[in-house]
Amino acid sequence: MGMIDRPKELKTLAALIKRHRVVGIVGARQVGKTTLARFLLKNAGGQSTYYDLENPEDLSRLADPMLALKSLKGIVVIDEVQRLPELFPVLRVLADRPKAQTRFLILGSASPALLRQGSETLAGRIYYHELGGFSLDDVGVKNYRRLWLRGSFPRSYLASSDAASGEWRKGFIRTFLERDLPQLGITIRSTAMHRFWNMLAHYHGQTWNASEFGRSFGVADTTVRSYLDLLSSALVVRQFLPWHENISKRQIKSPKVYISDSGLLHALLGIKTYKDLESHPKIGASWEGFVIEQVMRWLELGSEECFFWGTHAGAELDLLVVRGRERLGFEVKLTSSPLVTPSMRNAISDLKLNRLIVIHAGEKTFDLAGKIKAVAFLRLPEDLKT
């Protein structure tokens, strides 16, 4: 399978670069940031300049960043910007010039929170957009099994075989731990982080239990929490913070954690083929995380709009979306015939949901009950917004 165009992401990026003088595209390593930026430059025409800070020549060209950048026109792309944090104050000065004809597109393999200097120095001047890998929108729903098994990283999805895809993902995990994390200033031993990531894969889709992880590693709860936050900041782990409603029920205060990419989850769990996945005890949790990622991509949800909710009595909601005054609930079921549960009714009542959508593995979309709609995963693009 050859290169896949990503028109929706390209359109979003082109609109952002017109509205903002500095745009930051953040995403995990190898997720397609560079390819998308090069497509943007090709389509935009006019003057453009590209710096790849993993290229020693480009790095030396920016030894004096003000001198190198101040006379440039058009779109200037700076890739892997986390390697040169001293660029951010220069970008602030250049972005503040009156009638500036330059637009800066910076690409980074970390969250804005980890690029702290950029967030502080360019506050109010930069718009961050998080780029994921391939989505259903890119590959088509008919290829969902391949996307689920292999994950969204372009090289993993496009590999010539499942075995080749698995080899790429194993190599990605090793390189990420041994090279990429140290470049972000993280000094934890790669063996310890690999063990932590593996253990986290077995807790995929569950609420975070710092005490249990701390006991397993023989360290303080705060230490394992820092491990979790680091992987989240590097965009390979996703946390949904707990939502608290003013009700009498005791509510869960821990976040729910997922490995962000289903392909990396499967590599960490030793799942190599779709047949392996079908018989694995974590298939339900894997499906849940995969579907939630697709929902977030399709609805263009930011992490600040997404929450997990649960009570100690057992009521739970996989995903709570709070967008303005609207509250949407999502439940994910690996079944073709979902049913209304007491937990769903409790969620609607306690959280005052506008709608609750149950995404299932069947072929038809239908109403389940008042405010509850069952949406077939294969019809997600057509039925989710209706």
Side-chain angles (χ1 to χ4, degrees):
M1 188 178 288
M3 184 62 67
I4 292 178
D5 293 329
R6 306 179 72 178
K8 186 177 179 182
E9 290 288 0
L10 198 57
K11 183 179 178 182
T12 298
L13 184 54
L16 289 175
I17 205 73
K18 284 183 180 179
R19 295 198 301 269
H20 305 278
R21 291 187 177 183
V22 186
V23 174
I25 304 297
V26 296
R29 297 268 308 176
Q30 302 289 331
V31 87
K33 300 185 295 294
T34 301
T35 301
L36 193 66
R38 292 192 184 279
F39 268 119
L40 174 73
L41 296 186
K42 183 179 178 181
N43 291 350
Q47 286 183 270
S48 64
T49 310
Y50 201 104
Y51 294 96
D52 179 0
L53 299 190
E54 289 199 328
N55 182 333
E57 292 181 355
D58 286 357
L59 202 56
S60 64
R61 286 166 63 199
L62 287 173
D64 186 336
M66 181 62 79
L67 182 65
L69 298 174
K70 68 179 180 180
S71 62
L72 297 178
K73 300 283 192 296
I75 301 174
V76 178
V77 179
I78 303 173
D79 202 347
E80 299 299 340
V81 71
Q82 72 273 0
R83 293 178 62 86
L84 200 63
E86 55 266 34
L87 267 176
F88 290 113
V90 174
L91 291 176
R92 180 187 63 79
V93 173
L94 296 176
D96 284 347
R97 292 177 298 176
K99 299 180 181 179
Q101 299 179 32
T102 314
R103 292 290 186 269
F104 293 95
L105 178 62
I106 64 173
L107 314 181
S109 299
S111 69
L114 199 55
L115 297 174
R116 187 178 300 109
Q117 191 163 355
S119 300
E120 293 172 354
T121 308
L122 289 170
R125 300 171 178 86
I126 186 169
Y127 183 92
Y128 280 110
H129 174 66
E130 184 176 332
L131 179 68
F134 289 154
S135 68
L136 280 181
D137 208 38
D138 299 315
V139 307
V141 291
K142 66 181 184 298
N143 295 312
Y144 84 91
R145 287 186 177 182
R146 179 176 182 155
L147 184 64
W148 180 17
L149 174 67
R150 297 185 178 189
S152 64
F153 287 93
R155 290 188 182 180
S156 177
Y157 180 83
L158 295 170
S160 58
S161 66
D162 288 345
S165 172
E167 286 178 7
W168 184 89
R169 280 175 274 140
K170 284 185 178 179
F172 173 90
I173 291 169
R174 184 171 59 252
T175 302
F176 175 83
L177 293 171
E178 294 176 358
R179 189 193 71 175
D180 298 338
L181 284 184
Q183 286 181 356
L184 292 171
I186 297 166
T187 57
I188 300 164
R189 286 184 299 115
S190 62
T191 50
M193 191 58 82
H194 194 289
R195 184 175 159 225
F196 176 78
W197 206 2
N198 263 300
M199 186 175 174
L200 204 60
H202 289 275
Y203 280 77
H204 176 87
Q206 296 183 37
T207 51
W208 169 249
N209 188 326
S211 298
E212 196 166 340
F213 274 78
R215 284 195 301 271
S216 297
F217 281 80
V219 296
D221 293 3
T222 52
T223 301
V224 288
R225 178 66 208 220
S226 71
Y227 290 0
L228 179 67
D229 289 340
L230 286 171
L231 289 179
S232 300
S233 294
L235 305 174
V236 294
V237 167
R238 188 181 291 283
Q239 299 182 53
F240 289 116
L241 297 179
W243 179 266
H244 295 280
E245 194 68 17
N246 187 20
I247 56 177
S248 59
K249 299 173 183 176
R250 290 180 62 226
Q251 296 165 85
I252 295 173
K253 297 180 180 180
S254 298
K256 201 171 185 180
V257 294
Y258 296 89
I259 306 299
S260 298
D261 181 75
S262 59
L264 291 183
L265 169 69
H266 298 154
L268 291 165
L269 293 175
I271 297 171
K272 298 178 180 179
T273 66
Y274 193 77
K275 188 175 181 181
D276 293 340
L277 178 58
E278 287 182 310
S279 59
H280 199 278
K282 294 295 289 186
I283 183 174
S286 171
W287 173 253
E288 180 182 308
F290 172 67
V291 171
I292 287 174
E293 285 292 325
Q294 298 308 311
V295 169
M296 291 184 68
R297 297 289 295 282
W298 187 252
L299 293 181
E300 299 179 351
L301 296 171
S303 57
E304 72 283 355
E305 298 174 297
C306 299
F307 300 89
F308 157 73
W309 178 78
T311 71
H312 288 279
E316 188 177 301
L317 190 64
D318 292 335
L319 175 64
L320 169 65
V321 175
V322 179
R323 181 174 266 182
R325 293 185 176 183
E326 188 177 37
R327 292 186 180 187
L328 297 177
F330 291 89
E331 278 287 300
V332 180
K333 303 294 183 184
L334 187 56
T335 177
S336 58
S337 51
L339 301 172
V340 176
T341 64
S343 181
M344 294 178 192
R345 296 192 186 279
N346 284 334
I348 289 175
S349 172
D350 292 342
L351 299 174
K352 302 176 180 62
L353 299 179
N354 298 88
R355 284 186 298 159
L356 194 155
I357 297 169
V358 183
I359 301 176
H360 63 95
E363 298 179 354
K364 295 182 179 180
T365 293
F366 52 93
D367 291 325
L368 269 175
K371 291 190 175 183
I372 304 177
K373 184 176 184 178
V375 173
F377 177 74
L378 293 177
R379 295 190 53 82
L380 200 60
E382 294 89 357
D383 295 347
L384 191 54
K385 289 187 176 180
T386 60

